[in-house]
Structures are given as structure tokens and as C-alpha cells.
Amino acid sequence: GQSLEQPSEVTAVEGAIVQINCTYQTSGFYGLSWYQQHDGGAPTFLSYNGLDGLEETGRFSSFLSRSDSYGYLLLQELQMKDSASYFCAVRFYGQNFVFGPGTRLSVLP
Amino acid sequence: DAGVIQSPRHEVTEMGQEVTLRCKPISGHDYLFWYRQTMMRGLELLIYFNNNVPIDDSGMPEDRFSAKMPNASFSTLKIQPSEPRDSAVYFCASRLQSGGQGAMNTEAFFGQGTRLTVV
């Protein structure tokens, strides 16, 4: 089957660094994406890893290791506005995305 | 571009009624997805289209659900008859395939969603 796992909640303080992990059980996929969703809002794209390794986009970085079936999203210099839910998503051969259950990040002052 | 546009933003209906959700994808995008989001089940893919053709509808929960894409700029998701368990936020998303299957251009753009409440 195809499944993704994420921690349900993470809490950190402003200015800190937080890592949100995503483990998956699947094969035959193009890459791992990360989406952010604020309460009442739509998911918005953050990053994509098609190859193993680290991708950096400003304060956000994402990592993928296919051999370990594992990826993570790293958020640096946390700000209050980063409080949101974060979803990993796998794009399978074909075009459909399967989303993880989401991790709710709370940033405290 | 105004992004993916969904209507209505909110819908409250009585059990047994027909509900139609609408989506206008980003112009030029060739893939369109319908997702449902609930606290219990998270984001679930219901169906997706490529160039207006339904490709995978295995996520459609049952025959009460149907989706159409009569042209590149419009899609509908219909529930008939609606039930309380259909209450959820329904998202439409679109993307453009470019550069081959493994392309880095994998971003899906989501609409703001339709919050459906069936009472």
C-alpha cells in the first residue's frame, strides 16, 4: 500500500529551528513535496525533492532519502506566522498526490 | 491569474439534497484535482483529470459522487443525494505538467475550498 506518517503536533518558540519528519511506505514515486496550510486556508506549496538530498528555499529546507523512505522539512528562524499545518505529499507515477496526515506546528512567543 | 477559483465558499444543505461544487482552474493548466479534507481522514484525493479527461476516480467514495470537466476552464463535483457524513472542505487544485514526468514543476495550486455542511 501507499502511506505516509507524520507527527501530529510540534511546538517550538520563535527564533528556533524545528524539523518535521515524514516517513512513507511506497515505491515508484517521483518525489516528495511539502505544503503549508493555515487554519481556514488552502494548502500552499513549499518545496519539492525529486532527488535525494537537501533543497533550500529561504528559511525552509527539505530533505529526502529514498533508501531510508524518509524526508523532513526544516524550518529555521521560526516566526509566529509559521504556525500552521504542514503536509508531506508523494507524487506517484501517474499524476495524483497522496498527502500525509499533517503536522500542526505551534510557534510560541 | 486569479488562481484556482471555487464556488461557493460555503454551502449548507439538508440531507438528501443535491449539491454542486464548481471549480475554475488556472488558465493553461492541464491537470485538475478534487480533494476532500476532514479532521478524521485528512486530505483525500477524490478524482483527477488530464486535459478534461477523468484519469483516476478511485477515490470517489460512492455512486452519489460524480465529477465532470466539460472544458479546460470548468469542473464540477456533484453529490446526489447528500448525507451528513459528506460534510467536509472540498478543494480543487490544478497544475501544469511540463518537462516530462519527473519534472521539478510539480506544484499544485489549490483553490480556497468549499466548506460543505449537510444537516
Side-chain angles (χ1 to χ4, degrees):
Chain A
Q2 303 164 340
S3 65
L4 295 91
E5 294 184 2
Q6 301 179 238
S8 58
E9 294 184 28
V10 173
T11 302
V13 297
E14 270 188 299
I17 299 173
V18 71
Q19 178 173 313
I20 299 174
N21 297 327
C22 175
T23 57
Y24 56 87
Q25 294 181 4
T26 187
S27 60
F29 69 100
Y30 290 117
L32 186 71
S33 301
W34 288 92
Y35 284 77
Q36 179 192 60
Q37 185 179 28
H38 287 99
D39 286 347
T44 56
F45 175 80
L46 289 178
S47 69
Y48 172 75
N49 292 78
L51 302 173
D52 282 8
L54 191 68
E55 293 286 339
E56 297 180 79
T57 309
R59 295 187 297 115
F60 294 173
S61 302
S62 59
F63 173 82
L64 174 64
S65 170
R66 289 175 186 264
S67 59
D68 295 323
S69 298
Y70 163 73
Y72 66 73
L73 178 70
L74 190 73
L75 298 87
Q76 303 181 72
E77 301 173 17
L78 279 176
Q79 303 175 9
M80 296 294 289
K81 67 178 181 178
D82 297 331
S83 293
S85 293
Y86 293 84
F87 297 87
C88 58
V90 171
R91 181 171 160 243
F92 295 102
Y93 293 150
Q95 287 295 329
N96 56 312
F97 287 85
V98 172
F99 283 81
T103 298
R104 188 171 186 85
L105 171 64
S106 298
V107 180
L108 306 178
Chain B
D1 199 309
V4 177
I5 299 174
Q6 292 186 245
S7 64
R9 290 294 309 276
H10 302 273
E11 176 80 30
V12 180
T13 190
E14 291 185 347
M15 182 174 62
Q17 296 298 306
E18 176 181 296
V19 176
T20 299
L21 311 181
R22 297 172 175 81
C23 175
K24 181 181 186 306
I26 292 173
S27 177
H29 281 192
D30 52 356
Y31 283 87
L32 183 140
F33 307 84
W34 282 100
Y35 286 90
R36 178 172 67 176
Q37 187 175 36
T38 61
M39 288 296 293
M40 291 298 295
R41 300 175 70 89
L43 268 165
E44 302 174 277
L45 176 68
L46 299 177
I47 185 172
Y48 75 93
F49 296 82
N50 175 216
N51 291 323
N52 314 338
V53 177
I55 302 300
D56 184 353
D57 64 355
S58 59
M60 296 286 261
E62 48 197 276
D63 292 346
R64 298 185 296 107
F65 286 68
S66 61
K68 295 182 180 180
M69 193 165 185
N71 56 62
S73 59
F74 183 65
S75 177
T76 59
L77 177 68
K78 184 178 294 186
I79 308 172
Q80 165 65 19
S82 58
E83 297 182 2
R85 58 191 169 126
D86 301 330
S87 297
V89 180
Y90 291 81
F91 287 103
C92 174
S94 70
R95 67 178 295 274
L96 173 65
Q97 174 64 38
S98 64
Q101 291 293 326
M104 294 296 287
N105 183 8
T106 62
E107 179 175 358
F109 293 84
F110 282 74
Q112 288 302 303
T114 296
R115 183 173 295 275
L116 173 65
T117 303
V118 183
V119 298

